[in-house]
Amino acid sequence: MPKSKRDRAVTLSKTKKKGREHKENIVNSIREAVEQYNSIYVFSFENMRNLKFKQFREKLKSTSRFFLGSNKVMQVALGRSDSDEIRSGLHKVSKLLHGDSGLCLTNMPKEEAQRIFNEYEDYDFARTGSIATETVELKEGPLDQFTHEMEPFLRKQGMPVRLNKGVVELVGDFVVCEEGKPISPESSRILRLMDIKMATFKLQLICRWSPEDFEVYQEGLEGSDIESA
C-alpha cells in the first residue's frame, strides 16, 4: 500500500530554508519597489477582509504596490536604523510598522492617496469574538423574516422558537448580542441570517515618506521612538 504524502517526514532544515528564502524574496521585492515609487505609506487596518482588500489593491495596481505580512521582515527591508536604511529617513517608516499594518508604495499624488484611504470603508458580517457595536433584541412573537425550514437551525443557536401554523414564532424575548460584548458563534450566525453587518473594514494612513519629506498623520506617533533614532 503506497504511503500517504501527508505521512512523509519533512526535515527541519528544509522548512527553515524555504522560510528564509520566502523572507528574502519579500525583502528584495520591497527594496526594488522603493526605487520604483515616489512615496511610501504605512497604513493600519481594522477587521481585515482578504477579498475586499484584494479588490481595493486591484483598483490601484497601475499606480501602487502593497505589502502585508511580517512587520519585522518589512522593517529589515527598509532598514531599522539610520545606519542600515536603504534610503535616507526610511528607518522612521520602519518604526511605525507594528500591529495590524502594511506598506503602500505609490506614485499617486499625496492628496489623491489621502482621499482614497480616508474615504474607504466596507461593511461585513461580524465574526465570532468581535465586539458588538449595538444591542440586537428580538421580541416575543412571529418572526416573519425566517422561513419554517429554518426553525430547527434557530433552535440549535439557542433561540426559544417553535412553529405555529407554519410560522416561526419566538416564545420569549431573545437578546442576540449586547453592545460592547464579544459576539458568540451562535450570535454570529443569527446576525448573518438577519443580514446585520457590524464589522467595518477600514484602512487608515499612519505616515508618508518621500525623498523630500516625512509626515506622521496620527497624533501620538511622533514620539520618542522616532525622535531618538
Side-chain angles (χ1 to χ4, degrees):
M1 181 177 177
K3 279 189 175 182
S4 168
K5 288 184 178 179
R6 289 179 295 180
D7 294 334
R8 293 179 184 174
V10 179
T11 62
L12 186 61
S13 59
K14 189 178 290 185
T15 55
K16 281 186 176 179
K17 181 180 178 183
K18 192 173 183 180
R20 184 172 65 249
E21 288 176 352
H22 177 65
K23 291 176 181 178
E24 288 174 352
N25 288 337
I26 294 174
V27 168
N28 291 334
S29 295
I30 292 175
R31 288 178 173 174
E32 289 173 7
V34 168
E35 302 302 323
Q36 297 168 2
Y37 295 93
N38 299 329
S39 301
I40 301 174
Y41 292 87
V42 173
F43 64 91
S44 61
F45 53 86
E46 296 177 31
N47 298 307
M48 170 59 78
R49 297 295 186 265
N50 291 335
L51 179 59
K52 295 180 185 296
F53 181 69
K54 184 178 180 181
Q55 293 168 345
F56 176 81
R57 187 174 58 191
E58 190 69 17
K59 290 180 181 178
L60 300 176
K61 69 177 183 179
S62 63
T63 60
S64 311
R65 187 167 180 186
F66 290 83
F67 292 93
L68 285 179
S70 167
N71 289 333
K72 287 185 178 179
V73 172
M74 292 188 286
Q75 288 170 346
V76 168
L78 299 176
R80 290 186 280 193
S81 67
D82 55 3
S83 62
D84 63 3
E85 62 186 10
I86 59 171
R87 297 284 297 275
S88 178
L90 278 182
H91 75 282
K92 296 179 181 180
V93 176
S94 283
K95 290 184 180 297
L96 294 177
L97 278 166
H98 51 76
D100 294 329
S101 61
L103 286 174
C104 172
L105 294 90
T106 184
N107 287 325
M108 284 189 292
K110 178 172 69 172
E111 293 75 14
E112 183 180 0
Q114 291 175 342
R115 177 184 60 79
I116 289 173
F117 274 83
N118 290 339
E119 292 178 356
Y120 181 80
E121 62 178 26
D122 207 329
Y123 298 96
D124 202 357
F125 298 107
R127 294 173 177 169
T128 299
S130 57
I131 303 301
T133 58
E134 61 180 289
T135 296
V136 177
E137 183 177 6
L138 297 173
K139 296 297 183 181
E140 178 182 349
L143 300 174
D144 297 327
Q145 65 266 50
F146 301 124
T147 63
H148 69 277
E149 294 96 341
M150 299 169 72
E151 189 265 346
F153 178 79
L154 294 174
R155 272 193 288 109
K156 286 183 179 179
Q157 309 314 309
M159 293 180 63
V161 293
R162 68 183 179 187
L163 281 178
N164 185 0
K165 297 179 181 180
V167 176
V168 178
E169 184 178 75
L170 198 62
V171 299
D173 293 350
F174 180 76
V175 176
V176 179
C177 62
E178 293 184 63
E179 182 180 356
K181 293 187 177 181
I183 294 174
S184 68
E186 296 78 15
S187 296
S188 176
R189 297 183 195 111
I190 296 169
L191 290 170
R192 183 178 287 269
L193 287 175
M194 296 175 67
D195 198 33
I196 296 177
K197 298 180 178 181
M198 288 193 182
T200 306
F201 172 38
K202 295 168 66 176
L203 303 170
Q204 190 170 17
L205 292 177
I206 294 175
C207 70
R208 171 185 174 272
W209 172 93
S210 74
E212 294 78 32
D213 59 3
F214 175 72
E215 301 175 87
V216 177
Y217 296 124
Q218 294 189 26
E219 291 184 11
L221 294 179
E222 305 95 333
S224 58
D225 278 350
I226 296 176
E227 291 172 357
S228 63

